[in-house]
Amino acid sequence: MIGDVDRTLVLGLGGTVDYELRWDPTVFDRLAHAHGVRRHELTTTAPITDERSLLVAVLAFVASGTGAERFVASSEVIKAFVSHFTHEITLGGTGVRAGLVLHALGIPSVQHLVSIDDNVRRLLPASLSYICSATEDTLDPHLIVQYPVGAHVRLVDGDLLAPAPNRLIFANDPPNRRMLLASDLAATLEDAEVFLVSGFNTMQDHDLLELRLAEIQRALRSLPTDALVYYEDAGFYSRRFAETVRARLLPHIDVYGMNEDELQEYLGRSVNLLDAVDVIRALREAHMIIPARTLVVHTRYWAIAIGPDAGQHRAALESAVRVAATRYRVGDALTAADVEKTSVMGRHGGGVDLVAAVEAALADAAGVGAFSLDVASPTTVGLGDTFVGGFIAGVVRSKEGV
């Protein structure tokens, strides 16, 4: 238990019910042959309208070893696809997963939810209280595909092999697209120590997005002046929407976070994450696009903050990397003791060297190297959300002097 938390940690904006698919190459082989999927058809950009196009998208991402979040024409497509596999029902969304991490570390929080059903009531721990804008129960599951390095699928005209482990998210979630805010959000923020904002990436109506951003701006007036606002980017279905969010909220954001996939999407190019020259250039370009007080990029090799306030978040970065590595290592059931065990494990040498090079080149950068872990069955789903939870835990510890 990390002391008594007198002020609230408010985590939003929307939670999800996730169907976490268990990777089964036999099923993927069977589906690939049943649908006659060929190598030249693999694409990550085509609309996902049925089981076949969903399969093609999954296989295209697996072949490239990348992660992403994509829109699906209907929840029925997801339900049909997942019926072929063994799967587990879990809770997702950046705020909820970050809250689950905080719960594991003995830190309570308040969730802002836009949907609710019996899965949420059953799986949400008692230490995670919530406010919710939903007026009725709904279920629009998110499909989570977690694949290992070396994942092998046989297509009609050849094989594919995953060069790295990663996770994919597919969803059609009307409540999260509407992102209706709870009427008591402003009142809940009045004693908040941290406010986590995420989830705008799923919205698709620009006028509605503008309305929600105006509502958030009004709610932010209730925040104490010393509260920290953390914004996690996530994979926007439309980059134009990301620009709108930045234009409206950037002045209010203390820490703006993103992962390596989102960094490369913003830059429109791949980045060699272990090449100091390439990473320094990428961080400079990203900070020009997103001139946040602190821009945080978290990757499999390192986590680096850049901006005028970056240095004050070094302890939070360390906490975030340590907690994310623990979830990668032990899965959902991580404990504070597991995090302590991770702390003495080895770091990725290339990541540590890269951080040193970046800090030497950029006066306003601070970073930590990631851990180098050899795990037979790593957990890759939710690592970014876990990073955020670990970061917030680090903020709380720093303020409490722990």
Side-chain angles (χ1 to χ4, degrees):
M1 180 74 176
I2 306 172
D4 293 325
V5 180
D6 296 323
R7 287 171 59 183
T8 307
L9 308 177
V10 183
L11 313 179
L13 292 166
T16 66
V17 173
D18 292 348
Y19 287 178
E20 291 192 29
L21 179 151
R22 182 177 299 171
W23 183 264
D24 187 334
T26 303
V27 177
F28 275 105
D29 288 351
R30 176 170 56 79
L31 289 175
H33 279 261
H35 287 290
V37 178
R38 298 179 179 274
R39 291 190 63 85
H40 76 273
E41 295 181 274
L42 299 185
T43 175
T44 62
T45 58
I48 301 172
T49 58
D50 55 20
E51 181 177 279
R52 188 181 194 279
S53 53
L54 175 53
L55 174 65
V56 166
V58 170
L59 297 179
F61 282 115
V62 171
S64 64
T66 55
E69 183 166 348
R70 290 292 183 266
F71 179 71
V72 179
S74 77
S75 293
E76 298 310 311
V77 174
I78 290 172
K79 294 173 183 176
F81 187 83
V82 82
S83 68
H84 298 286
F85 297 87
T86 300
H87 67 281
E88 183 180 2
I89 300 176
T90 62
L91 298 183
T94 297
V96 172
R97 287 197 184 275
L100 292 172
V101 168
L102 291 166
H103 165 74
L105 300 177
I107 305 176
S109 62
V110 178
Q111 295 291 323
H112 178 284
L113 303 176
V114 297
S115 59
I116 191 80
D117 81 324
D118 285 341
N119 291 296
V120 177
R121 297 185 185 96
R122 173 173 54 87
L123 296 172
L124 206 63
S127 71
L128 273 70
S129 57
Y130 64 86
I131 57 176
C132 185
S133 62
T135 58
E136 62 182 3
D137 282 20
T138 56
L139 175 60
D140 292 283
H142 290 215
L143 170 63
I144 312 295
V145 180
Q146 178 178 248
Y147 61 87
V149 62
H152 179 214
V153 180
R154 296 179 175 86
L155 307 184
V156 172
D157 60 347
D159 296 356
L160 62 83
L161 201 67
N166 221 310
R167 67 92 182 100
L168 306 167
I169 303 173
F170 300 93
N172 184 321
D173 190 336
N176 275 283
R177 287 206 305 278
R178 289 192 294 270
M179 199 57 70
L180 180 65
L181 301 184
S183 59
D184 45 353
L185 174 59
T188 305
L189 292 178
E190 288 177 356
D191 66 347
E193 180 178 2
V194 174
F195 180 31
L196 169 63
V197 179
S198 65
F200 286 123
N201 59 303
T202 62
M203 297 189 69
Q204 295 183 330
D205 182 319
H206 195 266
D207 290 340
L208 187 58
L209 174 64
E210 290 276 19
L211 175 62
R212 296 293 180 251
L213 291 170
E215 292 169 349
I216 282 287
Q217 287 175 307
R218 287 195 292 272
L220 286 169
R221 296 172 190 162
S222 299
L223 272 177
T225 56
D226 64 341
L228 181 137
V229 178
Y230 189 114
Y231 176 84
E232 184 69 7
D233 186 273
F236 271 79
Y237 297 153
S238 168
R239 279 294 155 194
R240 182 170 68 97
F241 284 36
E243 295 168 5
T244 300
V245 173
R246 290 200 306 276
R248 303 293 179 265
L249 294 188
L250 199 57
H252 306 282
I253 294 169
D254 299 295
V255 179
Y256 191 115
M258 67 174 64
N259 67 22
E260 61 201 66
D261 296 320
E262 291 141 15
L263 170 69
Q264 292 169 118
E265 280 191 39
Y266 272 115
L267 300 181
R269 64 179 176 85
S270 62
V271 177
N272 183 338
L273 298 174
L274 291 175
D275 181 274
V277 173
D278 202 11
V279 169
I280 290 166
R281 176 188 165 206
L283 291 172
R284 283 174 169 155
E285 290 177 4
H287 201 218
M288 288 181 65
I289 297 169
I290 307 168
R293 288 195 284 275
T294 301
L295 174 65
V296 171
V297 180
H298 44 95
T299 79
R300 71 192 74 182
Y301 303 119
W302 45 261
I304 295 175
I306 183 172
D309 296 343
Q312 70 188 46
H313 297 300
R314 189 184 299 276
L317 286 174
E318 172 60 34
S319 172
V321 166
R322 189 179 299 178
V323 173
T326 304
R327 189 164 192 273
Y328 179 88
R329 185 170 65 84
V330 305
D332 285 333
L334 71 88
T335 65
D338 291 324
V339 176
E340 285 303 311
K341 290 177 182 177
T342 300
S343 66
V344 299
M345 295 180 177
R347 304 278 177 154
H348 190 282
V352 171
D353 292 344
L354 185 132
V355 168
V358 170
E359 289 183 337
L362 302 176
D364 60 348
V368 296
F371 289 85
S372 181
L373 304 174
D374 185 9
V375 180
S377 299
T379 298
T380 56
V381 60
L383 287 184
D385 305 335
T386 303
F387 179 95
V388 174
F391 190 100
I392 294 171
V395 169
V396 172
R397 286 191 177 103
S398 295
K399 289 189 176 182
E400 293 181 350
V402 177

